[in-house]
Amino acid sequence: MEKELQSILERAKLGAKAVATRADLEAFKARLVGPNGELTRLMKGMADVPKEEKPEVGRRLNEGKKELESLFSGLLEGIELNESAARLGPPVDPSLPSPDGGPGSQHPLAQVREEICSVFRKVGFSVVEGPEVETEYYCFDALNTPSDHPARDLQDTYYLPESARFGNVSKKETERYLLRTHTSSVQIRHMLKTPPPVRVISPGRCFRRDTADATHSANFHQIEGLYVDEDVSVKDLKALLDYFIRTLLGKDARTRFRPHFFPYTEPSFEVDFSSSHLEKLGTDWIEIAGCGIVHPAVFDAVGYDREKYSGFAFGMGIERIAMILFGIDDIRYFYQNDIRFLQQFAR
Ligand code: DAH
């Protein structure tokens, strides 16, 4: 009996080497401990063992069975490891450089922002930035925007809770903080720091309460422009925007000014442009900017001499321009980070 047991165990150890799959393992187990298995047969032989030897033989058979069971579970573990390794593919060395490398590329909105900035840089504008969290003073009061203006409505604007106030950033301690609704706030920040003449543009992110659809997003980007010197007129403003739009969209592009109202400019205009880019959109004119001659009340707020200086300001949406340049019909694509969309603009 002992000899037979030893021989079964030895052969089992040898046979285990050939077990590679779950099916192999099942067949292997059946051969040893199945109803007609070798060990099962040996156990059935217990009936013929003399009574006094039974406890010892029984103990040995149980030991043998346990040995086989641990052999089976070791084999199963090995099979499971192989299975998961097959699922994961070849081993990865995390210390190696990423194989999919490449330097990546700029987001289409960043590309258009850079392009716009470079057009203005060529004619002497420098780029300044301001914070996205603003106070009502910079965003509205100093821009001659009264407290009953719709942009100051809680429904239109993201105000920060009382608890989020930090420091005394502006002149009024009691005012509220908000996510800036436009980049015009940077005009004020820049003029308070810099005596005239000034010639700056300021790109950045803005926020308004808006239900997202193909043309609206609660988060969007603008570029603000400000030019202050002696004897600045609407003619200079029109010339600059004509230059801008022709550089960006080609020689056939034209602008047109429509009278409008902004609290911080007088007179104020909305600017439309027309170019061959619009043919595919099936329209002649598209609005791209608001602008005007800086209101004297704004100069008063920043301590500029309203008699000596004049200036113009403008603001335009970066998304709008990117959509026209690239022929994109839904603003939401810009924010979804879908690689299939972004790759089309890689350069
Ligand atoms: N801030 C305006 C807006 O968000 C755009 C604008 C209009 C900016 C006139 C200006 C301006 O600087 O003079 O719609």
Side-chain angles (χ1 to χ4, degrees):
M1 178 77 89
E2 179 60 28
K3 254 200 200 144
E4 267 180 82
L5 181 62
Q6 282 305 328
S7 134
I8 290 175
L9 292 177
E10 261 157 45
R11 272 182 291 117
K13 272 180 213 151
L14 281 177
K17 296 206 170 94
V19 173
T21 65
R22 281 175 194 265
D24 293 349
L25 180 61
E26 287 315 310
F28 182 64
K29 278 160 86 172
R31 224 163 53 228
L32 291 157
V33 296
N36 296 313
E38 294 177 38
L39 186 72
T40 317
R41 247 186 296 121
L42 206 57
M43 283 179 148
K44 279 181 188 155
M46 272 290 276
D48 305 326
V49 173
K51 206 175 168 206
E52 59 281 9
E53 289 176 26
K54 269 194 176 145
E56 178 55 16
V57 174
R59 196 182 56 77
R60 282 295 299 137
L61 285 176
N62 268 334
E63 276 175 7
K65 194 174 175 199
K66 282 212 179 99
E67 216 171 295
L68 285 180
E69 274 163 2
S70 89
L71 183 66
F72 298 151
S73 66
L75 285 170
L76 182 61
E77 228 170 84
I79 290 168
E80 281 171 350
L81 273 178
N82 284 342
E83 283 174 348
S84 76
R87 268 199 308 276
L88 293 172
V92 175
D93 178 350
S95 67
L96 288 173
S98 165
D100 55 10
S105 86
Q106 270 189 319
H107 190 279
L109 288 178
Q111 289 177 25
V112 172
R113 182 195 64 214
E114 290 311 306
E115 211 167 314
I116 298 173
C117 287
S118 84
V119 174
F120 283 108
R121 271 202 203 96
K122 279 189 200 135
V123 285
F125 282 76
S126 44
V127 178
V128 294
E129 283 188 288
E132 291 166 9
V133 176
E134 264 302 359
T135 65
E136 287 186 298
Y137 175 75
Y138 292 109
C139 210
F140 303 128
D141 296 278
L143 285 161
N144 194 34
T145 305
S147 54
D148 61 355
H149 192 279
R152 299 183 72 144
D153 196 314
L154 276 174
Q155 300 311 309
D156 284 342
T157 304
Y158 291 108
Y159 283 91
L160 270 67
E162 291 277 319
S163 56
R165 292 185 187 180
F166 32 81
N168 174 15
V169 177
S170 73
K171 293 187 170 164
K172 281 200 205 163
E173 277 176 67
T174 53
E175 70 194 321
R176 290 181 289 185
Y177 283 84
L178 56 116
L179 300 181
R180 67 177 174 190
T181 56
H182 54 184
T183 44
S184 303
S185 50
V186 189
Q187 289 186 30
I188 302 303
R189 288 185 172 272
H190 189 69
M191 286 190 282
L192 282 171
K193 279 195 305 225
T194 321
V198 297
R199 205 187 299 187
V200 289
I201 51 168
S202 184
R205 181 183 285 224
C206 307
F207 308 83
R208 283 180 207 173
R209 284 212 185 196
D210 243 333
T211 309
D213 63 22
T215 53
H216 292 87
S217 164
N219 160 213
F220 57 99
H221 300 78
Q222 288 189 333
I223 289 206
E224 192 77 13
L226 175 71
Y227 185 104
V228 181
D229 206 335
E230 294 177 30
D231 299 323
V232 177
S233 71
V234 175
K235 206 170 77 183
D236 303 311
L237 170 59
K238 176 90 161 77
L240 178 72
L241 292 181
D242 278 347
Y243 152 79
F244 166 69
I245 212 75
R246 287 194 183 125
T247 313
L248 200 69
L249 297 171
K251 287 215 170 4
D252 72 320
R254 286 177 299 144
T255 64
R256 126 183 132 176
F257 280 32
R258 279 180 292 104
H260 198 72
F261 172 79
F262 297 105
Y264 30 93
T265 43
E266 180 59 36
S268 304
F269 309 95
E270 272 189 334
V271 185
D272 300 337
F273 84 94
S274 159
S275 90
S276 54
H277 280 257
L278 297 186
E279 274 163 27
K280 52 181 182 263
L281 299 176
T283 163
D284 288 342
W285 293 94
I286 279 192
E287 182 221 315
I288 47 149
C291 66
I293 296 296
V294 179
H295 198 291
V298 176
F299 282 163
D300 293 346
V302 298
Y304 277 17
D305 183 344
R306 57 147 83 191
E307 300 302 329
K308 188 168 175 204
Y309 293 103
S310 51
F312 61 70
F314 57 88
M316 56 185 113
I318 298 182
E319 278 82 350
R320 165 75 65 97
I321 295 174
M323 287 168 84
I324 293 163
L325 280 174
F326 293 134
I328 294 165
D329 59 6
D330 194 320
I331 197 170
R332 289 167 289 197
Y333 286 128
F334 289 126
Y335 317 113
Q336 285 163 347
N337 278 340
D338 186 330
I339 202 94
R340 292 166 302 179
F341 170 77
L342 297 173
Q343 260 167 354
Q344 297 175 54
F345 308 97
R347 57 182 188 193

